[in-house]
Amino acid sequence: LLQLKEFWAFCKQQEAWKDNPSMSIRELDQLIIRPHFCHGRSVALTYNDSAPLLINSLISHCWDEEANQFFADVWGLVSNYAERPWQEVSLFICCLSQYQGTDAEIDLQVKQGSSDVRKNAFANVLRSVKDQSGWVYVVPCDAVAQQQRGLFGRLWCTW
């Protein structure tokens, strides 16, 4: 969780963020993540490469939600509702945990060389969450409400 706060602080230092502090997760991906976290390395891998953690929490995001609000919501959720001390929470947030490369690179990561959905990245993450007695959160946001999809529209990654 501290790495998420470090990344959030990194984002706030970037000119793109200063120019648009209410950018969406989609804009964050295009303007900050892709330019700074490339060559096959996701944000999470970059921050945790020396000491990777077992994933015990999956947080669903919406590409159209405001990034700053999303980070604040995640911090609030984990700080207030996690069933373990926040220092022991290791998050999987797709846009930060998966390398945001080309469509082919993303497809390769997600499918991990198999067309069997039980062997893809999300299935592996969900198994880790279950094995670690963790949790899955869908962070509510205005973007989802405005699209009239509701929270269930964001549960695809947790099938």
Side-chain angles (χ1 to χ4, degrees):
L1 193 57
L2 287 178
Q3 292 90 348
L4 182 64
K5 286 192 89 167
E6 289 173 19
F7 175 68
W8 190 7
F10 168 81
C11 291
K12 290 178 181 181
Q13 295 170 356
Q14 305 308 304
E15 286 303 316
W17 186 282
K18 291 175 184 175
D19 292 343
N20 183 10
S22 60
M23 71 173 55
S24 68
I25 296 286
R26 185 181 318 278
E27 293 166 321
L28 173 75
D29 175 52
Q30 294 296 317
L31 300 173
I32 297 176
I33 294 174
R34 289 181 189 244
H36 294 281
F37 300 88
C38 49
H39 308 294
R41 297 183 58 81
S42 68
V43 173
L45 180 59
T46 301
Y47 278 85
N48 294 299
D49 198 22
S50 63
L53 303 170
L54 289 173
I55 296 167
N56 59 34
S57 308
L58 182 145
I59 295 187
S60 176
H61 70 84
C62 170
W63 286 105
D64 295 325
E65 70 189 297
E66 185 182 316
N68 197 47
Q69 186 62 52
F70 173 73
F71 291 137
D73 288 345
V74 169
W75 182 257
L77 280 170
V78 173
S79 298
N80 295 314
Y81 300 108
E83 296 177 3
R84 61 184 78 210
W86 66 265
Q87 297 91 337
E88 297 176 12
V89 175
S90 54
L91 303 174
F92 179 93
I93 300 171
C94 183
C95 66
L96 304 178
S97 299
Q98 295 283 125
Y99 170 60
Q100 298 300 309
T102 65
D103 288 346
E105 290 168 327
I106 293 170
D107 190 57
L108 181 61
Q109 286 180 92
V110 171
K111 291 183 178 178
Q112 298 189 350
S114 174
S115 59
D116 185 347
V117 71
R118 294 168 294 186
K119 295 179 182 176
N120 77 23
F122 293 107
N124 290 330
V125 168
L126 288 171
R127 267 191 293 284
S128 181
V129 169
K130 180 181 176 187
D131 292 347
Q132 302 298 314
S133 300
W135 41 264
V136 174
Y137 276 129
V138 175
V139 179
C141 71
D142 291 339
V144 171
Q146 291 167 359
Q147 294 169 3
Q148 298 179 344
R149 293 191 337 230
L151 292 179
F152 295 110
R154 302 223 351 248
L155 290 177
W156 68 268
C157 61
T158 64
W159 86 107

